Amino acid sequence: MIRLASIINTFESAFLAQYRERLRPEHTRALAAIKHCRTQVSAKMQVRCSECDHQTLVPHSCGHRHCPHCQHHDSEQWIERQLKKLVPAEYFLITFTLPAELRPLAWAHQRTVYDLLLRCAWETLRTFSHNDRALRGVPGAIAVLHTNSREQVFHPHAHFVMPAAALDAEHKQWRTKRPRKTKTGYLFDHKALAQVFRAKLLAAIQAAGLTLPARYPRQWVVDCKSVGTGRPALIYLGRYLYRGVIREDDILACDNAQVRYRFQNAKTGQCEQRSVPGADFLWLIVQHVLPKGFRRARNFGFLHPNCKRLIALLQLLLRFDPGRATAWLRPRAPIRCPCCGALMTIVRTQIRATDLTRTTTPIPAHGTC
């Protein structure tokens, strides 16, 4: 497996020479974090065996949300939290796509446009749920922002996982669209969704003081499809949410100043390969680094984090136990002693190289039993 850190080491100079003027502070921070992740440059944590007192120093992971081999545990935790909120209803995956003509505007004003994309998409779904004769209430949705296509091209879009259900707080009623009434996966008309979403987002962009391009399409794209219980869609989104832009397993070769990687064609479903210069490959990666502090995953309506008691009450009244959906999740893997195989406990964290030089009793990098 070719590590992304090694590609950064190989092509960083050429990348900076070509793209330095287009980089933002969050881009350079992401590259530095991924480059030094779990290396001798990283901060260390001291671990000690519970049986034989063997101790050693283990490099910390960088913890950066765009690192391809960090935060697996965070991914599992996010998926577990969402699965615990499942309700007995048919779920739908609704995707709102930003037209190509508006992508330069999104790149120039990422924080503003990304936020408006998520908010306007939610407002569209809430409006349709209020006006739907079968629902007539506030829906719930789990949203995740993606900025890349499977080919790693800049392509902002938002996925919403939404149950065909709504809560009418005024009349204290819970309503769902039954499967027999969904016309084989029908929730809302996707063309009507696109029209309302287009109007809301364009108005919001203008209200934010941004200048729209001279031309943009009249027909926008919103996809709406049934995903059954919602479990597969949430697992899919959770895997992509914390694994970075590209899996290191998908990086096939790095030679002759080129990087070759594979991806799945969204239209054909076939696995394809693409080769790009090393500097351009790093640009494909960093252009998907989000602004600092921006939340790409959000919960709306009755699935908001503040509604935990409400969700628990709904599950109790509807006699629905989401525990089965989370049964497959595994706990975080423990650190095992290389000498006796016993569990190792963390004694100290965030140990820097300067700390090691100041201590009177040095801790060996590879301790002995």
Side-chain angles (χ1 to χ4, degrees):
M1 181 178 67
I2 300 174
R3 290 194 58 186
L4 184 56
S6 66
I7 296 178
I8 296 175
N9 281 319
T10 303
F11 299 108
E12 187 174 21
S13 297
F15 169 72
L16 293 176
Q18 185 174 347
Y19 291 100
R20 188 185 301 274
E21 299 300 323
R22 303 174 67 180
L23 293 180
R24 295 175 176 153
E26 57 263 26
H27 296 155
T28 54
R29 284 195 295 265
L31 285 178
I34 297 171
K35 178 181 177 180
H36 299 306
C37 181
R38 300 181 189 180
T39 65
Q40 293 305 315
V41 182
S42 307
K44 311 292 192 302
M45 61 179 174
Q46 179 187 357
V47 294
R48 178 183 295 138
C49 179
S50 58
E51 296 293 335
C52 65
D53 285 335
H54 168 78
Q55 58 181 315
T56 186
L57 294 177
V58 180
H60 276 293
S61 61
C62 67
H64 199 281
R65 59 177 171 174
H66 296 94
C67 183
H69 55 86
C70 278
Q71 302 194 75
H72 173 75
H73 184 62
D74 291 328
S75 172
E76 297 287 298
Q77 287 185 316
W78 184 86
I79 294 173
E80 182 178 9
R81 288 197 302 271
Q82 308 314 315
L83 293 179
K84 285 181 178 179
K85 297 178 182 179
L86 289 176
V87 294
E90 183 176 1
Y91 275 73
F92 291 80
L93 178 63
I94 308 167
T95 305
F96 295 83
T97 302
L98 197 67
E101 290 80 359
L102 268 65
R103 292 172 195 168
L105 181 67
W107 173 256
H109 306 277
Q110 293 183 25
R111 187 181 297 275
T112 300
V113 177
Y114 292 165
D115 184 67
L116 292 177
L117 172 60
L118 289 168
R119 290 180 181 274
C120 291
W122 162 245
E123 288 297 331
T124 301
L125 293 174
R126 188 168 66 171
T127 299
F128 272 71
S129 182
H130 271 289
N131 296 334
D132 188 277
R133 289 184 296 179
L135 297 177
R136 292 177 290 135
V138 178
I142 300 164
V144 175
L145 173 74
H146 284 172
T147 60
N148 59 293
S149 66
R150 295 185 181 182
E151 198 176 350
Q152 310 308 329
V153 176
F154 185 64
H155 182 264
H157 58 284
H159 295 295
F160 281 73
V161 179
M162 174 180 169
L167 185 66
D168 185 348
E170 182 179 354
H171 298 92
K172 297 183 179 180
Q173 290 185 338
W174 167 259
R175 303 188 183 99
T176 62
K177 272 193 171 182
R178 297 180 182 178
R180 62 183 178 86
K181 292 185 178 180
T182 58
K183 299 180 180 178
T184 316
Y186 177 85
L187 178 61
F188 304 129
D189 182 77
H190 65 96
K191 293 183 179 180
L193 281 172
Q195 290 178 352
V196 175
F197 171 63
R198 176 183 184 274
K200 286 182 179 293
L201 184 58
L202 292 179
I205 289 175
Q206 290 180 317
L210 304 182
T211 303
L212 290 170
R215 301 181 62 182
Y216 44 84
R218 294 184 59 85
Q219 301 296 328
W220 289 22
V221 177
V222 173
D223 181 67
C224 182
K225 62 181 179 182
S226 174
V227 288
T229 62
R231 177 177 175 273
L234 290 172
I235 294 174
Y236 167 80
L237 292 180
R239 293 286 185 258
Y240 278 87
L241 181 61
Y242 286 97
R243 78 173 191 188
V245 178
I246 188 171
R247 293 190 313 160
E248 290 183 324
D249 289 341
D250 290 331
I251 303 175
L252 303 179
C254 177
D255 49 30
N256 298 322
Q258 298 277 319
V259 176
R260 179 162 52 90
Y261 63 94
R262 64 187 173 194
F263 63 94
Q264 186 181 43
N265 189 302
K267 294 182 179 179
T268 64
Q270 300 297 317
C271 188
E272 299 181 6
Q273 298 182 13
R274 182 188 182 194
S275 294
V276 296
D280 294 340
F281 176 79
L282 291 181
W283 176 247
L284 288 176
I285 299 300
V286 302
Q287 68 180 334
H288 305 300
V289 174
L290 297 173
K292 183 178 180 180
F294 185 86
R295 293 184 299 112
R296 66 182 300 182
R298 305 184 185 185
N299 295 64
F300 297 98
F302 64 77
L303 292 178
H304 191 275
N306 291 340
C307 298
K308 291 181 180 179
R309 292 184 178 181
L310 173 61
I311 296 172
L313 178 61
L314 283 173
Q315 292 170 344
L316 177 64
L317 295 176
L318 299 173
R319 298 180 181 179
F320 179 76
D321 181 14
R324 296 181 180 179
T326 61
W328 62 277
L329 291 169
R330 292 173 293 180
R332 193 169 196 167
I335 302 175
R336 295 285 181 180
C337 177
C339 299
C340 64
L343 291 178
M344 301 193 79
T345 58
I346 298 175
V347 178
R348 186 180 170 196
T349 61
Q350 297 298 330
I351 304 173
R352 301 286 176 180
T354 54
D355 298 330
L356 292 176
T357 58
R358 293 172 185 169
T359 183
T360 55
T361 306
I363 302 170
H366 301 284
T368 56
C369 293

